[in-house]
Amino acid sequence: METGKGTEHCAICGMTLQYETAARELSCTVCGRKENAHIVCPSGHYLCESCHGAEAKKMVREMSLLTLEKDPLRTAVAMFSQPMVPMLGCEHAYIAAGAFMSALKNQGLVKVTNEDTEEAFRRLERQAAGGYCGLTGVCGIVPAMGACISILYGSKCGKDMEQRLTMEAATRVASEILGLTGPSCCKAYALAGINVAVDFLKEASGISLPVEDRAPKCSWSSRHPHGCRREKCPYFDPASLSSAVMAKPAPRSGNC
Ligand SMILES: [Zn+2]
Ligand SMILES: [Zn+2]
């Protein structure tokens, strides 16, 4: 078993978190739930998947249900800007799904309800887990966009074309994310996932969402704990690094 020292910190004591390649069972420090964990605090603190990022997920849920925005990339960037959102973490899978579903609901060409958005979030509880981009190769944004497409087409196990469309959308998102990795950036992955889903829906059903800027500029490069990919990333903004010197200290990074 390999233990690597990360650059992110325990939300409870602030110590640097460790990334492990083999899971061990830990109890959540907040709710007591036992889970197999790969990201641990040297002092033994652990936050389970539901307690970790709870505040950010609550914000994403509320913004998704309340926003009137029809441009999903604008919604995603607005969510990134909220102070409780860490630089990295599976909160970004919820952001990608919430921004996409709320844009479709507000645009109105296809019937999407708040319950549909909640259903996408429920599916993510099963398949978006911190650090698994590196542990299994599946970033939570892949099932995020897959869940959205699945809900739109009514896919479930045993369906024919509906499942094929869902799996094709998820595969395209995974492929796009592959082109953006080394190291991971959940913000770039979320924006790319939304872009792929927008194109996929147009191609599959002729439904267009109004996206003003396909590559919104990222303001968070200096916060990346594993190092921003800078010019290799389509969302990189060199100006964000010079303005970051003046910026306030950023909140701790999430478990990714
Ligand atoms: Zn700790
Ligand atoms: Zn917990």
Side-chain angles (χ1 to χ4, degrees):
M1 181 183 80
E2 186 194 326
T3 298
K5 219 169 166 52
T7 48
E8 288 140 273
H9 301 96
C10 171
I12 294 162
C13 72
M15 284 187 77
T16 303
L17 293 172
Q18 291 180 339
Y19 291 65
E20 302 187 353
T21 52
R24 57 183 156 118
E25 190 179 72
L26 290 174
S27 298
C28 175
T29 309
V30 175
C31 74
R33 187 163 107 180
K34 284 194 165 78
E35 269 183 357
N36 287 319
H38 293 85
I39 304 172
V40 299
C41 165
S43 302
H45 300 125
Y46 175 68
L47 291 182
C48 74
E49 278 298 322
S50 43
C51 290
H52 175 75
E55 198 191 355
K57 287 174 194 165
K58 182 168 177 280
M59 174 281 295
V60 172
R61 180 180 174 276
E62 285 171 1
M63 271 185 79
S64 300
L65 303 189
L66 293 174
T67 182
L68 301 175
E69 180 61 68
K70 297 174 186 171
D71 179 337
L73 288 181
R74 285 175 61 126
T75 305
V77 170
M79 289 176 177
F80 290 170
S81 307
Q82 300 305 307
M84 69 288 281
V85 174
M87 178 63 206
L88 302 178
C90 282
E91 296 85 350
H92 293 81
Y94 290 76
I95 289 175
F100 186 68
M101 293 299 268
S102 60
L104 283 169
K105 182 189 80 173
N106 296 334
Q107 183 236 27
L109 277 179
V110 56
K111 188 170 182 291
V112 171
T113 64
N114 284 341
E115 176 53 31
D116 292 328
T117 306
E118 303 261 32
E119 172 62 19
F121 294 153
R122 282 195 289 273
R123 294 182 189 187
L124 291 184
E125 285 168 21
R126 301 293 295 269
Q127 283 203 324
Y132 271 68
C133 50
L135 293 169
T136 63
V138 182
C139 162
I141 288 151
V142 174
M145 306 329 292
C148 296
I149 297 296
S150 165
I151 290 164
L152 293 177
Y153 289 98
S155 168
K156 59 181 180 178
C157 183
K159 289 271 191 172
D160 184 351
M161 286 311 293
E162 297 88 344
Q163 180 165 328
R164 192 192 151 80
L165 281 167
T166 301
M167 293 178 86
E168 188 173 346
T171 302
R172 286 195 198 178
V173 173
S175 176
E176 188 73 14
I177 286 175
L178 171 65
L180 291 172
T181 202
S184 281
C185 180
C186 309
K187 289 187 168 36
Y189 294 176
L191 297 174
I194 293 170
N195 269 321
V196 170
V198 166
D199 289 338
F200 186 83
L201 201 58
K202 175 91 168 69
E203 182 188 317
S205 292
I207 296 163
S208 293
L209 278 173
V211 179
E212 191 182 301
D213 182 1
R214 287 296 191 129
K217 286 185 170 34
C218 172
S219 315
W220 299 276
S221 302
S222 62
R223 283 177 53 193
H224 200 308
H226 311 309
C228 170
R229 299 174 75 243
R230 300 177 60 119
E231 286 77 9
K232 288 190 282 182
C233 176
Y235 310 105
F236 176 61
D237 177 16
S240 73
L241 293 180
S242 45
S243 57
V245 179
M246 304 296 292
K248 290 183 194 162
R252 289 180 183 127
S253 297
N255 281 0
C256 186

